[in-house]
Amino acid sequence: MATYKGAKGIVSYDAMETIRNTNEWLGATARAFGSYPAFALMPHPMFKLISAWGRVTERSFSRMVIKPDWNLPPIVSEDGQDHIVYVEPVLKRDFGDLVHFRVARRDPMPRRVLLVAPMSGHYATLLRSTVTSLLPDCEVYVTDWHNARDIPVSAGKFDVEDYTQYLVDFLRHLGPGTNMIAICQPAPLALAATALLAAEDPAHQPRSLILIGGPIDPDAKATEVTDFGHRMTMGELDLLLIQQVGFKYRGAGRMVYPGLAQLSSFIAMNADTHANAFIDQIFAEARGEASDGDRHNRFYDEYLAVMDMTAEFYLSTVQRIFKENQIARNEFTVGGRMVDIKAIRDVAIMTVEGANDDISAPGQCVAALDLCSSVPPERKVQHLEPNAGHYGIFAGKSWRLNIRPLVLDFIDEHLSSEPPARRRRGGSQPADCGRVTPNEEDGKLAI
């Protein structure tokens, strides 16, 4: 039975890659055919549409297997000088690196921030705009998770416990005084890592912990994501979603939840919106109005770039975080050690939610504040952003105009490890942020 399952997985994985590769080739062929010089003598719009369809199709399917570059702009200092940003790994591990964004010719900033990127189908570059917005005021680090298809089987497993231990190791490497910002999926594991350090190594626990749109208590309010997790059994998920990496990649034989399968579910959630976006882009290409860096291409170059997750990470996330709700019940363990969230006493904690978030609905993230019952009330803050979707609370207009200033103020109020003398004012500030589409800044990505 195991042999059959493995063989089926290889065929399925390679079949998806074959479909992707074939569509990329069809796009390139249509682009070349529609641009053939002889057709210039027959100015029929059909040829422009064929070429436009080819350009959009080729670009879209080729981006699915390319890790995007960070492409961070220079930071302008107060004296008007441009400071180039260098992306430098400072701690390398098999499944992910700790990356530092070093700003050339600038002294280290007093605010040291560790951005914990989601491992849910997209690369850490999904946080490019978040990093760009923080760099002028912070020393920024990020967890750069690797694509599971490129990790040899000999590297071993990687599940939610390993993820949590990676965060513990990264915090120890950065040293005391680090401020950790966890976005979406890693929020419960960032909370667990903080609790571990609070109990075992308080000197290296983060000074402040900001949790943005994460499923601390998925049962607090149901969404399509939580319904799916409860509706499907673990056996069904294993049979239907888990596949084996084909021979094209270094991770051949590793069991994964493929990025292409994840992308299909992303698109299915808003199929009409995505279809209309691509139809509009084809006509824009045909009219000569599209460009390499237009809004559509900027969004989809990132959205379509997907990575595989290890099977054990995906399955353990569904079972332990969603089905068994171990974080919300304070029953999570790492390496046999009980993680007691009540051990967190000296860390300032802030939660951020979007009122229109249909991935991690309001109520799921703010549950962290009740769990941290040992933290004084004056060191806990919650913020609900009106009219904001999931993507907007960490990368869109709502983040830039409202949430980012609140986060920086929260960090500044707790620069000292001692509790502040006065209670911070919480609450929401209004924001003009519309519902999301792939062509809007506050568009939603299912992460």
Side-chain angles (χ1 to χ4, degrees):
M1 179 64 182
T3 303
Y4 169 74
K5 178 183 175 181
K8 179 178 72 71
I10 288 178
V11 171
S12 299
Y13 192 95
D14 282 345
M16 285 193 302
E17 173 60 18
T18 299
I19 293 171
R20 185 208 64 79
N21 201 295
T22 300
N23 279 280
E24 181 184 353
W25 172 78
L26 288 173
T29 302
R31 173 184 55 79
F33 176 80
S35 304
Y36 198 70
F39 294 147
L41 299 174
M42 297 176 289
H44 195 282
M46 176 189 68
F47 298 112
K48 288 187 176 181
L49 280 174
I50 290 174
S51 180
W53 178 87
R55 289 194 296 272
V56 173
T57 301
E58 180 187 16
R59 183 185 185 113
S60 300
F61 282 93
S62 65
R63 294 287 170 174
M64 295 177 186
V65 291
I66 297 175
K67 180 179 180 179
D69 293 327
W70 282 98
N71 289 328
L72 297 172
I75 302 301
V76 181
S77 62
E78 293 181 358
D79 58 7
Q81 291 187 9
D82 284 350
H83 297 265
I84 297 174
V85 181
Y86 294 96
V87 182
E88 299 179 342
V90 295
L91 190 61
K92 293 186 175 183
R93 295 291 178 86
D94 288 332
F95 292 90
D97 301 334
L98 176 63
V99 169
H100 178 216
F101 299 101
R102 181 174 65 84
V103 180
R105 298 179 292 105
R106 188 183 78 173
D107 294 332
M109 303 292 285
R111 302 186 189 98
R112 185 166 65 250
V113 170
L114 170 60
L115 272 177
V116 185
M119 181 186 282
S120 52
H122 285 101
Y123 292 94
T125 51
L126 181 71
L127 305 183
R128 183 185 295 104
S129 60
T130 316
V131 171
T132 302
S133 69
L134 291 173
L135 274 175
D137 304 294
C138 306
E139 206 67 31
V140 182
Y141 297 79
V142 72
T143 57
D144 189 15
W145 305 112
H146 298 166
N147 195 329
R149 74 180 183 210
D150 299 321
I151 306 172
V153 175
S154 59
K157 71 172 183 67
F158 187 81
D159 59 13
V160 289
E161 294 190 16
D162 299 307
Y163 189 113
T164 306
Q165 189 59 53
Y166 266 49
L167 297 186
V168 169
D169 295 342
F170 290 165
L171 286 167
R172 282 178 171 150
H173 181 83
L174 291 176
T178 301
N179 304 282
M180 184 159 60
I181 302 177
I183 296 174
C184 190
Q185 166 266 319
L189 303 183
L191 185 63
T194 302
L196 276 178
L197 286 170
E200 301 175 1
D201 190 4
H204 288 93
Q205 64 184 338
R207 178 174 291 155
S208 64
L209 175 64
I210 296 96
L211 306 174
I212 300 179
I216 301 298
D217 182 4
D219 290 343
K221 186 174 182 181
T223 64
E224 186 175 341
V225 175
T226 59
D227 287 344
F228 176 80
H230 288 301
R231 186 171 66 249
M232 302 288 288
T233 68
M234 296 307 298
E236 288 174 324
L237 291 174
D238 192 3
L239 178 65
L240 298 175
L241 300 181
I242 302 305
Q243 299 175 18
Q244 195 169 24
V245 177
F247 297 108
K248 181 178 177 179
Y249 299 103
R250 292 183 64 219
R254 178 177 290 280
M255 304 305 295
V256 299
Y257 178 29
L260 291 177
Q262 178 82 321
L263 179 61
S264 299
S265 64
F266 289 165
I267 292 177
M269 291 177 66
N270 296 277
D272 291 341
T273 300
H274 291 294
N276 291 331
F278 277 97
I279 291 171
D280 291 344
Q281 184 68 3
I282 290 170
F283 281 104
E285 285 276 1
R287 292 191 299 265
E289 298 174 356
S291 65
D292 189 63
D294 61 26
R295 184 180 296 179
H296 176 97
N297 286 331
R298 288 200 311 271
F299 180 89
Y300 279 103
D301 283 355
E302 191 69 52
Y303 188 78
L304 297 176
V306 289
M307 58 183 287
D308 299 346
M309 286 180 277
T310 64
E312 57 272 17
F313 178 80
Y314 175 76
L315 294 176
S316 61
T317 297
V318 174
Q319 180 169 353
R320 300 181 63 177
I321 304 301
F322 286 89
K323 285 184 175 295
E324 298 177 359
N325 214 359
Q326 291 184 8
I327 294 293
R329 297 175 184 272
N330 200 17
E331 298 174 352
F332 191 69
T333 59
V334 173
R337 297 169 292 173
M338 188 68 190
V339 178
D340 185 8
I341 298 175
K342 295 179 181 179
I344 304 175
R345 293 181 174 84
D346 304 320
V347 179
I349 299 178
M350 178 181 187
T351 63
V352 177
E353 297 177 319
N356 293 341
D357 190 342
D358 56 0
I359 304 299
S360 293
Q364 292 188 13
C365 191
V366 73
L369 300 185
D370 288 336
L371 284 173
C372 298
S373 57
S374 301
V375 178
E378 63 269 17
R379 295 177 70 81
K380 296 192 286 189
V381 168
Q382 60 174 309
H383 176 74
L384 178 65
E385 183 69 15
N387 304 317
H390 188 69
Y391 189 59
I393 58 177
F394 68 88
K397 184 168 61 176
S398 294
W399 162 261
R400 292 196 313 272
L401 298 183
N402 294 333
I403 298 171
R404 173 187 168 277
L406 291 175
V407 168
L408 293 180
D409 287 346
F410 181 75
I411 291 174
D412 288 345
E413 288 193 13
H414 300 283
L415 282 178
S416 169
S417 59
E418 296 297 324
R422 61 184 179 85
R423 181 170 180 171
R424 173 185 166 79
R425 291 180 301 166
S428 304
Q429 299 296 326
D432 181 16
C433 174
R435 285 295 289 172
V436 289
T437 71
N439 285 331
E440 293 177 358
E441 273 192 304
D442 277 351
K444 98 184 131 182
L445 294 178
I447 64 171

